[in-house]
Amino acid sequence: MIITGLVLGIALGIVMQRGRFCVTGMLRDISLAHTWRPFTALLIVIAIHAVGIAGLTAAGIIQPEYDPFAPYAVIVGGFLFGIGIVLAGGCASGTWYRSGEGLVGSWFALLFYGLSAAAMKTGALSGLNSWLRDRTVNLTTIHGSLGMSVWWLAIPFAALAAGLAVYFLRTDSTPASLQAGWKKPLHLYVAAVLVGLLGIIAWPLSAATGRNDGLGITSPTANLINFLVTGESTRVDWGVMLVLGILVGSFIAAKVTGEFRVRVPDPTQTVKSIAGGTLMGVGAAWAGGCTVGNGMVQTGLFTYQGWVALAAIAAGVFVAAKIWLHPRPTSVPEAEQVPFESFNLNAPVLGSSAVAVATSTGLREVAPAVFALDTLGSVCPFPLIDAKEAMNELDSGESLRIDFDCTQATESIPRWAADEGFEVTDFHEVGDAGWQITVGK
């Protein structure tokens, strides 16, 4: 029966990869982009989980169990996890599916996430984990404390999520899209609905194998590491098959759409990925879950753990974004001139005498009033951050040509252009998992 975990994981990996589904970005955009549009997708997942789990419980199909609320562990752990996912460039599930896209930085983050989570749960740091996890209070669910049925929370919450989704869909700017047909990415809200439905299906499938839980990433990742180290076959449960399925599904989706390519990060990002993965494992172990286990499942159960953890994760993301998410410094000398033909940026031919002029901002004028920005190798959200900074340096009538290989930027950059009223004059693929977009100011 644990093979059902692999099947469901493959479906989840495909949906997350095609929907660019990343809780890190949803939380990050609240402060960086000042929008709640992406975060509404998480609310949709929680709402579907809440209604579905309540229904399955009422029907006697599943019987969720609740751990005692450990406030100190949840708050500290959630905050550390929030910092970690910003450094790593993705949350727990995001790190798994981005590994399937070929991001080597995510491989490092995933490895150290699993190692640190295993150390906290069953290894050398288990004492440190218990030190905070054992400090509990007599609270489990919000509706239990209020003495009411969970439906009094689930139905209004679902209505709120639906209302916000309708509002943002009606006020949405239409971004430029590169792919068409089956290669076109899923709308984020469609992906959210599918993730929520898969989360409901996960409960009875997982419970049938003796694992009384739904979607989860941290414990399965730690169990996988423990199995690889000790060879204990009992560690390979439904959850382990789930996370392996996410990796496989993401790889399949990325490969068939031309979005897979092995991308090696620079040394700075490698260090951040390792540090971020380590904080993710420690934080998720303390908090009792990640952005899936706490941010989607426990919130859908309306536990104190889930909602406090989500708030703590959001705080960690906010602090980390303020510290680390800034435009990258450039080292291009001012007034450096390079023959235009050497850039191969598909620009109009200006003649053999044309030059690409480097400005003090690091941009290169590769055609009259067209400036090039190279963000190749940068992980989300840096292509968008750099593009915003570069556009601020341009005058009206000038254009910015951006080269990038971050899959998420295929949505975020066109969305930003549409929201700001900029014109996308060109948008095309450059080989596997490479793109170029020209935005006019």
Side-chain angles (χ1 to χ4, degrees):
M1 283 294 292
I2 66 171
I3 196 65
T4 60
L6 179 66
V7 175
L8 191 137
I10 290 174
L12 189 62
I14 292 173
V15 169
M16 286 185 162
Q17 198 280 329
R18 298 314 303 148
R20 283 74 163 111
F21 195 90
C22 180
V23 179
T24 306
M26 297 171 189
L27 296 172
R28 187 182 58 221
D29 282 353
I30 295 174
S31 60
L32 286 187
H34 307 294
T35 177
W36 292 80
R37 181 200 293 122
F39 183 74
T40 298
L42 179 59
L43 298 182
I44 292 172
V45 175
I46 296 171
I48 293 174
H49 259 121
V51 174
I53 293 173
L56 291 175
T57 303
I61 297 175
I62 63 172
Q63 295 182 350
E65 298 174 353
Y66 307 101
D67 293 329
F69 179 41
Y72 303 114
V74 170
I75 292 171
V76 174
F79 186 77
L80 292 178
F81 184 85
I83 293 174
I85 61 179
V86 171
L87 290 172
C91 59
S93 58
T95 301
W96 270 102
Y97 88 71
R98 286 177 176 173
S99 293
E101 292 178 340
L103 273 69
V104 176
S106 293
W107 299 357
F108 283 112
L110 188 60
L111 174 62
F112 281 85
Y113 167 49
L115 287 171
S116 57
M120 288 285 285
K121 287 177 173 290
T122 60
L125 300 180
S126 59
L128 179 63
N129 191 36
S130 300
W131 176 62
L132 280 183
R133 290 293 300 171
D134 290 344
R135 288 165 167 77
T136 61
V137 296
N138 189 27
L139 293 172
T140 51
T141 65
I142 298 171
H143 53 283
S145 296
L146 298 175
M148 63 171 60
S149 168
V150 68
W151 292 106
W152 287 103
L153 297 178
I155 297 301
F157 188 87
L160 171 65
L164 287 172
V166 170
Y167 169 76
F168 284 118
L169 287 172
R170 286 179 175 176
T171 59
D172 235 0
S173 302
T174 303
S177 180
L178 179 61
Q179 294 95 340
W182 64 274
K183 293 182 88 173
K184 186 176 181 179
L186 292 173
H187 190 285
L188 182 59
Y189 291 175
V190 173
V193 170
L194 294 175
V195 170
L197 293 175
L198 289 171
I200 295 173
I201 297 171
W203 269 95
L205 293 179
S206 176
T209 67
R211 178 182 176 271
N212 189 26
D213 209 342
L215 297 179
I217 305 296
T218 301
S219 290
T221 304
N223 284 338
L224 178 59
I225 292 295
N226 275 318
F227 166 71
L228 294 175
V229 173
T230 66
E232 296 178 14
S233 59
T234 55
R235 295 287 183 180
V236 181
D237 61 2
W238 192 93
V240 169
M241 301 304 288
L242 172 75
V243 294
L244 291 176
I246 293 175
L247 181 69
V248 173
S250 172
F251 171 75
I252 293 172
K255 192 68 176 177
V256 299
T257 57
E259 294 182 353
F260 176 85
R261 193 179 83 243
V262 175
R263 281 158 279 189
V264 180
D266 59 35
T268 300
Q269 183 55 48
T270 299
V271 172
K272 286 183 178 180
S273 296
I274 292 172
T278 302
L279 286 176
M280 286 166 60
V282 172
W286 257 339
C290 61
T291 42
V292 172
N294 272 329
M296 298 180 191
V297 178
Q298 291 295 322
T299 49
L301 290 168
F302 292 103
T303 64
Y304 286 99
Q305 174 180 305
W307 286 102
V308 172
L310 182 59
I313 292 170
V317 169
F318 176 81
V319 170
K322 291 295 184 183
I323 296 174
W324 285 292
L325 298 185
H326 303 287
R328 299 170 304 157
T330 60
S331 58
V332 181
E334 185 174 1
E336 177 185 343
Q337 294 189 350
V338 182
F340 176 71
E341 292 83 2
S342 67
F343 280 86
N344 190 26
L345 293 176
N346 298 319
V349 177
L350 301 180
S352 60
S353 62
V355 294
V357 180
T359 69
S360 59
T361 61
L363 300 178
R364 296 180 183 276
E365 186 173 19
V366 294
V370 178
F371 293 83
L373 174 67
D374 179 6
T375 69
L376 293 171
S378 295
V379 297
C380 180
F382 287 107
L384 178 58
I385 291 176
D386 292 344
K388 287 182 177 181
E389 182 73 8
M391 188 63 86
N392 289 336
E393 301 298 322
L394 301 187
D395 296 324
S396 179
E398 295 179 330
S399 296
L400 181 67
R401 176 176 291 158
I402 310 159
D403 283 270
F404 62 95
D405 55 7
C406 171
T407 307
Q408 285 68 39
T410 60
E411 293 292 301
S412 62
I413 292 179
R415 168 72 60 188
W416 157 71
D419 288 344
E420 295 295 329
F422 299 142
E423 180 184 6
V424 176
T425 57
D426 179 57
F427 190 10
H428 64 274
E429 296 177 89
V430 183
D432 288 336
W435 297 272
Q436 186 180 93
I437 186 170
T438 302
V439 181
K441 186 171 183 178

